[in-house]
């Protein structure tokens, strides 16, 4: 009797309990293998457990995908925002340089503005190198220097190993722009 109780009840419960422990630990890939000698009730329980595990895994992936989509939407929104004030000032500065026949400065300004706008319109960037972000800050400072007669100086002191480190776009550029304001 004890052998039968152990084989038909206690052993299947232990298998189910082991599966629950795997789920609790975050192992959503775990599936209970069907032993051939369990009753129909435990087969049904094992099937329900495996189904639940698959649903949890699917829901978790769905949540991650939604988070990623939300982050991409926010990034696209930020990238699509050209500050109208900055854009209009840039056009006004360009017009002023051309009117005063400062063609070399106008070309420098246009080149820096072109790089800045290209960076702003880039899509599908989740991470960029610090080196690339610093390049854009230098570009922004170049635009400001043309407007303010080279009175802005930028000095960077960054460990060369950090230059390849990946960061979200605009992380440092936003600080540079705000410090200029």
């Amino acid at each position: 009797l004890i052998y039968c109780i152990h084989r038909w009840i206690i052993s299947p419960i232990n298998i189910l309990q082991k599966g629950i422990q795997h789920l609790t630990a975050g192992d959503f890939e775990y599936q209970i293998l069907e032993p051939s000698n369990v009753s129909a009730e435990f087969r049904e329980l094992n099937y329900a457990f495996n189904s639940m595990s698959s649903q949890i895994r699917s829901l978790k992936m769905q949540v991650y995908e939604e988070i990623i989509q939300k982050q991409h939407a926010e990034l696209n929104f930020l990238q699509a925002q050209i500050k109208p004030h900055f854009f209009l000032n840039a056009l006004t500065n360009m017009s002023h340089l051309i009117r005063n026949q400062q063609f070399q400065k106008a070309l420098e300004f246009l080149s820096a503005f072109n790089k800045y706008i290209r960076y702003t319109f880039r899509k599908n960037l989740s991470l960029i190198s610090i080196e690339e972000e610093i390049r854009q800050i230098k570009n922004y400072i170049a635009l400001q220097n043309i407007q303010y007669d080279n009175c802005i100086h930028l000095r960077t002191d960054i460990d060369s190993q950090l230059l390849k480190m990946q960061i979200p776009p605009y992380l440092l550029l936003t600080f540079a722009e705000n410090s200029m304001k």
Side-chain angles (χ1 to χ4, degrees):
L1 181 62
I2 292 174
Y3 173 76
C4 290
I5 290 173
H6 183 271
R7 183 174 176 198
W8 293 331
I9 299 174
I10 295 175
S11 184
I13 289 176
N14 285 340
I15 292 171
L16 192 58
Q17 185 178 13
K18 182 179 175 186
I20 292 170
Q21 288 171 347
H22 277 271
L23 278 183
T24 304
D27 181 8
F28 301 111
E29 300 291 325
Y30 187 81
Q31 297 282 303
I32 295 176
L33 300 176
E34 285 292 326
S36 59
N37 58 351
V38 296
S39 66
E41 292 84 4
F42 278 109
R43 260 195 300 279
E44 188 67 31
L45 268 175
N46 291 344
Y47 174 77
F49 175 87
N50 289 341
S51 176
M52 180 182 66
S53 176
S54 295
Q55 286 176 355
I56 290 172
R57 185 173 52 251
S58 174
L59 288 172
K60 193 169 186 174
M61 286 187 341
Q62 191 176 4
V63 167
Y64 284 143
E65 288 172 359
E66 287 175 7
I67 289 171
I68 289 170
Q69 287 175 350
K70 180 182 175 197
Q71 289 174 342
H72 279 291
E74 289 172 358
L75 181 60
N76 287 337
F77 176 74
L78 289 174
Q79 287 176 338
Q81 287 183 331
I82 293 182
K83 298 162 193 83
H85 182 69
F86 175 77
F87 189 68
L88 292 174
N89 278 349
L91 292 176
T92 302
N93 290 337
M94 178 63 72
S95 149
H96 176 71
L97 291 171
I98 292 171
R99 223 182 331 228
N100 291 335
Q101 297 183 355
Q102 295 177 320
F103 300 117
Q104 186 59 39
K105 271 190 171 182
L107 285 173
E108 290 172 18
F109 187 87
L110 189 58
S111 175
F113 186 68
N114 178 33
K115 291 174 188 171
Y116 182 84
I117 293 300
R118 282 181 187 270
Y119 182 77
T120 303
F121 282 143
R122 288 172 65 182
K123 299 270 187 213
N124 300 324
L125 288 179
S126 57
L127 295 174
I128 61 166
S129 68
I130 289 179
E131 183 176 30
E132 190 172 351
E133 186 82 347
I134 295 297
R135 197 173 319 124
Q136 295 311 314
I137 291 172
K138 288 178 180 178
N139 204 26
Y140 177 78
I141 297 296
L143 285 171
Q144 298 304 317
N145 269 331
I146 292 168
Q147 181 179 358
Y148 296 112
D149 295 324
N150 291 322
C151 68
I152 302 164
H153 303 284
L154 173 66
R155 183 176 157 255
T156 58
D157 184 16
I158 302 169
D159 188 333
S160 62
Q161 294 175 343
L162 294 177
L163 289 175
K164 300 299 179 197
M165 186 175 163
Q166 300 288 300
I167 61 171
Y170 307 104
L171 183 69
L172 302 176
L173 184 60
T174 303
F175 285 113
E177 289 176 349
N178 287 336
S179 68
M180 293 299 297
K181 293 177 185 175

